[in-house]
Amino acid sequence: MKKTPPQKMSRSVEDIYVMRIADLLSDDPILLDVIGHRFKLVAECDRERRRVTYQFRAVDDDGPGTL
């Protein structure tokens, strides 16, 4: 049986999806136990490679958003 490739999501739907995952990660109780409650989560989306990178940073870290 042939599988058809999934339809691509629009950019706005992709952004909502990526941010929903970031929201779930920031509320995860195990992560909160490991890294504490004071952090920010930076999501970097590379649409060409179809890759999302999530970075956990200290609240006062104002470094660039790229890896």
Side-chain angles (χ1 to χ4, degrees):
M1 182 187 322
K2 281 187 175 179
K3 287 188 177 182
T4 59
Q7 292 183 356
K8 290 196 175 194
M9 293 186 270
S10 68
R11 284 187 177 251
S12 62
V13 173
E14 286 177 354
D15 290 342
I16 292 169
Y17 183 76
V18 167
M19 294 313 294
R20 175 69 178 138
I21 293 171
D23 188 41
L24 291 171
L25 286 171
S26 67
D27 292 336
D28 185 270
I30 296 173
L31 283 173
L32 292 175
D33 285 345
V34 172
I35 61 178
H37 291 275
R38 292 192 39 84
F39 66 89
K40 62 183 175 183
L41 183 60
V42 178
E44 181 181 334
C45 186
D46 183 350
R47 286 185 167 84
E48 288 180 20
R49 293 184 181 172
R50 303 201 48 81
R51 177 184 303 165
V52 178
T53 304
Y54 295 97
Q55 300 176 28
F56 296 90
R57 296 182 172 198
V59 175
D60 56 352
D61 183 358
D62 292 329
T66 59
L67 291 173

